[in-house]
Amino acid sequence: MSTIQDKVVIITGASSGIGEATAKELASKGAKLVLAARREDRLKKLQDEIQAIGGQATFKVTDVTSRQQMEELATHALEKFGKIDVLVNNAGIMPQAFLAENKVDEWDKMIDVNIKGVLYAIAAIVPSMRERKSGHVINLSSIAGHNIYPGGTVYCGTKFAVRAISEGLRQEEAMNGTNIRVTNVSPGAVTSELLETTTDPAMKAGLDEVYQVAIDADSIARTIAFAIEQPSDVAINELIVRPTVQVV
Ligand SMILES: NC(=O)c1ccc[n+]([C@@H]2O[C@H](COP(=O)([O-])OP(=O)(O)OC[C@H]3O[C@@H](n4cnc5c(N)ncnc54)[C@H](OP(=O)(O)O)[C@@H]3O)[C@@H](O)[C@H]2O)c1
């Protein structure tokens, strides 16, 4: 039996792409899913699909930029399943543009979703893991959390921040003996709806070109399952997953 069986897993950004694929992968291995995102119709459809294959899933419409909604998500998970084993901090947006374009509203949104969303989830969900002395936080950073490129400056900044949060959380939980594992996942180009969040036409065209080699979201879902299914004394801390032919 997989060690994923009966684990309660919250996934933010579960309504598409990597989050949706991860929900399906973990459901097939017996996890109990708590699906979160803003689009209710997508969450409902995913819940139905999981239940149709005999899996267990609940959903809560959640905007990760709201501390209150994040706390309500944690409460929902605890009420439905009695514990939270894994948090997959996956919700993210990537409206890329050169700094000179001054898309300040998009900078704000990226910081709110990609950084504050991750922190709000940690604030709402990790305390119950500390109490149980058991848990696993999986944060979606990116290759953009390792490399900086023109047009990606603010997005890269948010993904560098996610890596810093992952490593800081890892060190603090290890120091305090809470038994909480932390995994930072850095995908390369993956097919999803993420490129649709880039509004700048020239930038979008360039990204479409780069994403010609993109791999399926399932590839990242399998990687996340691999990190979860290790024995509890083994923490996979860093994962970089690119298409084989992606150069940088
Ligand atoms: N695709 C790639 O090439 C790639 C590479 C490296 C890293 N990543 C990272 O992987 C993660 C998942 O991205 P993806 O590729 O799967 O993109 P995606 O298909 O666009 O999925 C993004 C998810 O985030 C959710 N989301 C956005 N804003 C939200 C908010 N305010 N509150 C709650 N949920 C929100 C969306 O749901 P709603 O709109 O329904 O809320 C959606 O489910 C992101 O953190 C991304 O940065 C992706």
Side-chain angles (χ1 to χ4, degrees):
M1 187 172 68
S2 167
T3 57
I4 292 173
Q5 181 75 40
D6 292 331
K7 281 204 166 146
V8 178
V9 184
I10 295 184
I11 303 178
T12 67
S15 59
S16 68
I18 293 169
E20 180 184 356
T22 301
K24 288 178 179 164
E25 174 73 15
L26 299 181
S28 76
K29 290 176 178 268
K32 298 173 178 173
L33 277 308
V34 182
L35 312 168
R38 294 165 304 172
R39 286 171 293 179
E40 184 168 12
D41 55 332
R42 295 284 196 99
L43 295 177
K44 176 83 183 81
K45 184 167 170 280
L46 179 57
Q47 181 194 39
D48 290 346
E49 284 171 18
I50 289 172
Q51 288 174 344
I53 57 159
Q56 292 190 61
T58 180
F59 70 85
K60 180 110 179 80
V61 172
T62 308
D63 185 330
V64 297
T65 68
S66 160
R67 272 185 77 180
Q68 190 190 325
Q69 289 183 33
M70 207 52 107
E71 277 158 20
E72 288 166 3
L73 174 65
T75 304
H76 176 83
L78 291 171
E79 280 173 4
K80 287 277 174 190
F81 293 128
K83 61 169 185 164
I84 302 164
D85 294 298
V86 184
L87 162 64
V88 184
N89 259 321
N90 167 74
I93 55 171
M94 187 179 70
Q96 306 214 51
F98 294 114
L99 288 177
E101 300 284 337
N102 259 355
K103 293 188 181 261
V104 180
D105 288 346
E106 292 190 347
W107 303 348
D108 280 342
K109 273 192 200 142
M110 267 189 283
I111 290 165
D112 286 348
V113 176
N114 298 3
I115 304 179
K116 287 167 139 188
V118 168
L119 289 171
Y120 290 171
I122 288 170
I125 293 159
V126 174
S128 76
M129 294 180 176
R130 292 192 186 108
E131 263 172 40
R132 289 178 57 235
K133 283 205 178 300
S134 173
H136 193 167
V137 178
I138 300 175
N139 293 331
L140 269 292
S141 177
S142 171
I143 287 299
H146 297 255
N147 304 328
I148 299 160
Y149 49 90
T153 307
V154 179
Y155 180 69
C156 292
T158 66
K159 292 301 179 179
F160 270 72
V162 171
R163 261 179 79 209
I165 292 163
S166 297
E167 178 59 9
L169 181 67
R170 184 194 74 74
Q171 291 183 15
E172 291 183 22
E173 299 307 323
M175 198 172 76
N176 293 327
T178 58
N179 253 338
I180 294 174
R181 302 188 291 177
V182 180
T183 303
N184 190 75
V185 183
S186 296
V190 175
T191 305
S192 74
E193 296 174 19
L194 194 66
L195 297 196
E196 306 310 316
T197 60
T198 290
T199 58
D200 185 273
M203 192 64 60
K204 172 78 168 51
L207 285 168
D208 283 339
E209 187 67 32
V210 171
Y211 272 67
Q212 297 277 329
V213 301
I215 50 178
D216 288 344
D218 292 354
S219 327
I220 308 303
R222 288 194 301 274
T223 307
I224 289 171
F226 168 74
I228 298 173
E229 66 197 355
Q230 299 308 308
S232 62
D233 60 345
V234 178
I236 307 282
N237 298 131
E238 282 282 356
L239 287 162
I240 298 179
V241 189
R242 285 188 184 87
T244 308
V245 295
Q246 183 174 341
V247 179
V248 287

